[in-house]
Amino acid sequence: MPLLSDHTLQRIKNAADTIYHAKQAVVLSGAGISTPSGIADFRSAKSGLWQRYDPFEVASLNSFRYNPEKFFNWMRPLAADIFHATPNAAHVAIADLEKNGFIKQVITQNIDGLHQKAGSMDVIEVHGSLETLSCIHCFQVYPGEGYIDDYIENGVIPRCPECQGVLKPDVILFGEQLPSKAWLKANQISKQCDLMIVVGSSLEVLPVAGLPMRAIENGAHLIIINNSQTYMDVRADVVFAEDVITILPEISRQLLDH
Ligand code: ZN
């Protein structure tokens, strides 16, 4: 167990107390929860993914249509990391809290499926996932299994068995709308919750970054666990500018160990 200051321990108690009293607590997670699992932030300039590429040139919808090979070549190491990643202590803590009724839903900006792998049941993926692929010509949807592994292992670009069109992973590229069903649900949940726990998101990517504001406007409490500052820190009940895998398991322990 990491050595925590009295100040941090007190905030962990406060956070656990706030979660204990909430009736509709939701988690909003971002890339920061998955970096301890070895997954680079898809959209962060700091991640190294963009050092040799212009994001709008490889990971926008237009460039995907124009040059899917370039996208798939760029995406391959990231997809491999995601494919082989395992959930970390923060994912597990959230899943445990959900199982015990302390958390109702998880809204995530991540495309890695690690919340589900950790055991979370109700996950809303607002930036999509690699679980499915869609044909850019006939719009048929296919499960990622069987396509994603062949792409990662052998570099095979997935194609539609019906029309031979390129299959696009159902992740949101630059210049693309969020999946409407997931986005509507995320908005609705944010308005209805009485506690939002932001985990590993710097709240910089719109429109998701606006969800904590929706929650607060409707009277919800706010806890933020992120290793850098966010624009909502001033509005939060408890802020941890610390590592998610240090803080979340401690909060979970407070609530689940009696
Ligand atoms: Zn097709």
Side-chain angles (χ1 to χ4, degrees):
M1 190 174 121
L3 204 56
L4 300 169
S5 70
D6 288 347
H7 180 52
T8 302
L9 286 171
Q10 187 54 52
R11 280 177 297 132
I12 285 169
K13 285 199 174 73
N14 293 348
D17 196 48
T18 306
I19 295 170
Y20 183 81
H21 287 102
K23 291 186 171 60
Q24 291 287 329
V26 302
V27 166
L28 172 62
S29 74
I33 194 173
S34 292
T35 39
S37 289
I39 298 171
D41 183 353
F42 183 63
R43 289 169 184 256
S44 166
K46 285 173 270 177
S47 71
L49 285 170
W50 301 128
Q51 274 166 10
R52 289 182 299 133
Y53 297 95
D54 173 355
F56 293 94
E57 215 174 282
V58 288
S60 72
L61 189 58
N62 269 342
S63 60
F64 181 88
R65 288 175 186 282
Y66 179 71
N67 193 348
E69 288 82 7
K70 200 169 177 181
F71 167 83
F72 279 110
N73 287 335
W74 166 80
M75 178 85 183
R76 202 169 155 199
L78 176 63
D81 286 347
I82 289 173
F83 199 69
H84 297 118
T86 50
N88 61 54
H91 294 109
V92 172
I94 290 170
D96 287 345
L97 290 173
E98 185 187 324
K99 271 183 214 123
N100 287 276
F102 290 109
I103 286 169
K104 299 296 178 199
Q105 279 117 353
V106 177
I107 302 167
T108 188
Q109 297 171 281
N110 300 335
I111 59 170
D112 53 42
L114 289 181
H115 283 295
Q116 293 93 325
K117 274 193 193 171
S120 285
M121 304 294 284
D122 200 343
V123 183
I124 300 134
E125 296 169 307
V126 288
H127 288 167
S129 81
L130 289 172
E131 281 296 295
T132 56
L133 307 152
S134 296
C135 176
I136 59 171
H137 290 303
C138 74
F139 306 110
Q140 184 73 39
V141 180
Y142 297 93
E145 214 174 320
Y147 294 99
I148 295 291
D149 13 1
D150 207 17
Y151 155 57
I152 290 169
E153 300 305 326
N154 308 310
V156 176
I157 290 179
R159 287 194 178 271
C160 177
E162 294 296 321
C163 78
Q164 292 305 303
V166 174
L167 297 181
K168 179 190 158 297
D170 288 331
V171 296
I172 301 308
L173 303 181
F174 291 100
E176 206 174 0
Q177 297 284 323
L178 301 196
S180 59
K181 244 171 132 178
W183 178 237
L184 283 173
K185 196 168 177 207
N187 258 291
Q188 190 190 18
I189 287 165
S190 300
K191 284 179 191 160
Q192 288 169 351
C193 72
D194 59 356
L195 169 62
M196 180 170 277
I197 309 164
V198 173
V199 181
S201 174
S202 303
L203 300 176
E204 284 168 346
V205 179
L206 287 167
V208 175
L211 293 177
M213 191 58 97
R214 288 298 92 67
I216 288 244
E217 283 167 355
N218 288 277
H221 290 283
L222 182 64
I223 296 171
I224 297 178
I225 311 166
N226 188 55
N227 59 12
S228 63
Q229 284 189 336
T230 80
Y231 83 103
M232 288 297 283
D233 285 4
V234 288
R235 306 286 302 272
D237 297 83
V238 192
V239 178
F240 297 92
E242 285 145 299
D243 214 328
V244 293
I245 53 169
T246 306
I247 301 302
L248 267 164
E250 289 302 320
I251 293 176
S252 171
R253 202 165 301 153
Q254 286 276 332
L255 285 157
L256 303 181
D257 291 358
H258 293 292

Coordinates of all heavy atoms in Angstrom, one line a residue, residues 15 19 28 197-201 223-228 230 233 238-248 251:
A15 N -14.3 11.6 0.1 CA -14.8 11.1 -1.2 C -15.6 9.8 -1.0 O -16.7 9.7 -1.5 CB -13.6 10.7 -2.1
I19 N -19.6 9.3 -1.9 CA -20.1 8.2 -2.7 C -21.1 7.4 -1.9 O -22.2 7.0 -2.4 CB -18.9 7.3 -3.1 CG1 -18.0 8.0 -4.1 CG2 -19.4 6.0 -3.8 CD1 -16.6 7.3 -4.4
L28 N -17.1 9.2 -14.9 CA -16.7 9.6 -16.3 C -15.2 9.4 -16.4 O -14.4 10.1 -15.7 CB -17.1 11.1 -16.4 CG -16.6 11.8 -17.7 CD1 -17.2 11.1 -19.0 CD2 -16.8 13.3 -17.7
I197 N -18.1 11.2 -10.8 CA -16.7 11.0 -10.4 C -15.9 11.0 -11.7 O -16.0 10.1 -12.5 CB -16.5 9.7 -9.6 CG1 -17.5 9.5 -8.5 CG2 -15.1 9.5 -9.1 CD1 -17.7 8.1 -7.9
V198 N -15.1 12.0 -11.9 CA -14.2 12.1 -13.1 C -12.9 11.4 -12.8 O -12.3 11.7 -11.7 CB -14.0 13.6 -13.4 CG1 -13.0 13.7 -14.6 CG2 -15.3 14.3 -13.8
V199 N -12.6 10.4 -13.6 CA -11.4 9.6 -13.4 C -10.5 9.6 -14.6 O -10.9 9.1 -15.7 CB -11.8 8.1 -13.1 CG1 -10.5 7.3 -12.8 CG2 -12.7 8.1 -11.9
G200 N -9.3 10.3 -14.5 CA -8.3 10.2 -15.5 C -8.7 11.0 -16.8 O -8.4 10.6 -17.9
S201 N -9.5 12.0 -16.6 CA -9.8 12.9 -17.8 C -9.4 14.3 -17.4 O -9.8 14.8 -16.4 CB -11.3 12.8 -18.1 OG -11.6 13.7 -19.2
I223 N -16.5 14.7 -7.8 CA -15.2 14.3 -7.4 C -14.3 14.2 -8.6 O -14.7 13.6 -9.6 CB -15.3 12.9 -6.6 CG1 -16.1 13.0 -5.4 CG2 -13.9 12.4 -6.3 CD1 -16.5 11.7 -4.7
I224 N -13.1 14.7 -8.5 CA -12.2 14.6 -9.7 C -10.9 14.0 -9.3 O -10.3 14.4 -8.3 CB -11.9 16.0 -10.2 CG1 -13.2 16.7 -10.8 CG2 -10.9 16.0 -11.4 CD1 -13.1 18.1 -11.3
I225 N -10.5 12.9 -10.0 CA -9.3 12.2 -9.7 C -8.5 12.2 -11.1 O -8.8 11.5 -12.0 CB -9.5 10.7 -9.3 CG1 -10.5 10.7 -8.2 CG2 -8.2 10.1 -8.9 CD1 -11.1 9.3 -7.9
N226 N -7.5 13.1 -11.2 CA -6.8 13.2 -12.4 C -5.4 13.9 -12.1 O -5.4 14.8 -11.3 CB -7.6 14.2 -13.4 CG -6.9 14.2 -14.7 OD1 -6.7 13.2 -15.4 ND2 -6.6 15.4 -15.2
N227 N -4.4 13.4 -12.7 CA -3.1 13.8 -12.3 C -2.7 15.2 -12.8 O -1.6 15.7 -12.5 CB -2.0 12.8 -12.6 CG -1.9 12.5 -14.1 OD1 -2.5 13.2 -14.9 ND2 -1.2 11.4 -14.4
S228 N -3.6 15.8 -13.6 CA -3.3 17.3 -13.9 C -4.6 18.0 -13.6 O -5.7 17.4 -13.5 CB -2.9 17.4 -15.3 OG -3.9 17.0 -16.2
T230 N -8.0 20.3 -13.9 CA -9.1 20.5 -14.9 C -9.8 21.8 -14.7 O -9.7 22.3 -13.6 CB -10.1 19.3 -14.8 OG1 -11.0 19.6 -13.8 CG2 -9.4 18.0 -14.6
D233 N -12.0 21.8 -11.5 CA -11.5 21.5 -10.1 C -12.1 22.5 -9.1 O -12.5 22.1 -8.0 CB -10.0 21.7 -10.1 CG -9.3 20.5 -10.7 OD1 -10.0 19.6 -11.2 OD2 -8.0 20.5 -10.7
V238 N -14.4 17.2 -4.0 CA -13.1 16.7 -3.6 C -12.2 16.6 -4.9 O -12.7 16.1 -5.9 CB -13.2 15.3 -3.0 CG1 -11.9 14.9 -2.4 CG2 -14.3 15.2 -1.9
V239 N -11.0 17.0 -4.9 CA -10.1 16.9 -6.0 C -8.8 16.1 -5.6 O -8.2 16.4 -4.6 CB -9.7 18.3 -6.5 CG1 -8.7 18.2 -7.7 CG2 -10.9 19.1 -6.9
F240 N -8.5 15.1 -6.4 CA -7.2 14.4 -6.2 C -6.4 14.7 -7.5 O -6.7 14.2 -8.6 CB -7.4 12.9 -6.1 CG -8.2 12.5 -4.9 CD1 -9.6 12.4 -5.0 CD2 -7.6 12.2 -3.7 CE1 -10.4 12.0 -4.0 CE2 -8.4 11.9 -2.6 CZ -9.8 11.7 -2.7
A241 N -5.3 15.5 -7.3 CA -4.4 15.6 -8.5 C -3.3 14.5 -8.4 O -2.1 14.8 -8.3 CB -3.8 17.0 -8.5
E242 N -3.8 13.3 -8.3 CA -2.9 12.2 -8.0 C -3.2 11.0 -8.9 O -4.2 11.0 -9.7 CB -3.1 11.7 -6.5 CG -2.4 12.7 -5.6 CD -3.2 12.9 -4.3 OE1 -4.4 13.3 -4.3 OE2 -2.7 12.5 -3.2
D243 N -2.4 10.0 -8.8 CA -2.6 8.8 -9.7 C -3.8 8.0 -9.4 O -4.2 7.7 -8.2 CB -1.4 7.9 -9.4 CG -0.9 7.2 -10.7 OD1 -1.8 6.9 -11.5 OD2 0.3 6.9 -10.8
V244 N -4.6 7.7 -10.5 CA -5.8 7.0 -10.3 C -5.7 5.6 -9.6 O -6.5 5.2 -8.8 CB -6.6 6.8 -11.6 CG1 -7.1 8.1 -12.2 CG2 -5.7 6.1 -12.6
I245 N -4.5 5.0 -9.9 CA -4.3 3.6 -9.3 C -3.9 3.7 -7.9 O -3.9 2.7 -7.2 CB -3.4 2.7 -10.1 CG1 -2.1 3.4 -10.4 CG2 -4.0 2.3 -11.4 CD1 -1.0 2.4 -10.9
T246 N -3.5 4.9 -7.4 CA -3.3 5.0 -6.0 C -4.6 5.3 -5.2 O -4.9 4.7 -4.2 CB -2.3 6.2 -5.7 OG1 -1.1 6.0 -6.5 CG2 -1.9 6.3 -4.3
I247 N -5.4 6.2 -5.8 CA -6.5 6.8 -5.1 C -7.8 5.8 -5.1 O -8.4 5.6 -4.1 CB -6.9 8.2 -5.6 CG1 -5.7 9.1 -5.5 CG2 -8.1 8.7 -5.0 CD1 -5.2 9.3 -4.1
L248 N -8.1 5.4 -6.3 CA -9.4 4.6 -6.4 C -9.4 3.4 -5.6 O -10.5 3.1 -4.9 CB -9.7 4.3 -7.9 CG -10.6 5.4 -8.5 CD1 -10.5 5.3 -10.0 CD2 -12.0 5.3 -8.0
I251 N -10.2 4.4 -2.0 CA -11.7 4.8 -1.9 C -12.5 3.6 -1.8 O -13.4 3.4 -0.9 CB -12.1 5.7 -3.0 CG1 -11.4 7.1 -2.9 CG2 -13.6 5.9 -3.0 CD1 -11.7 8.0 -4.1

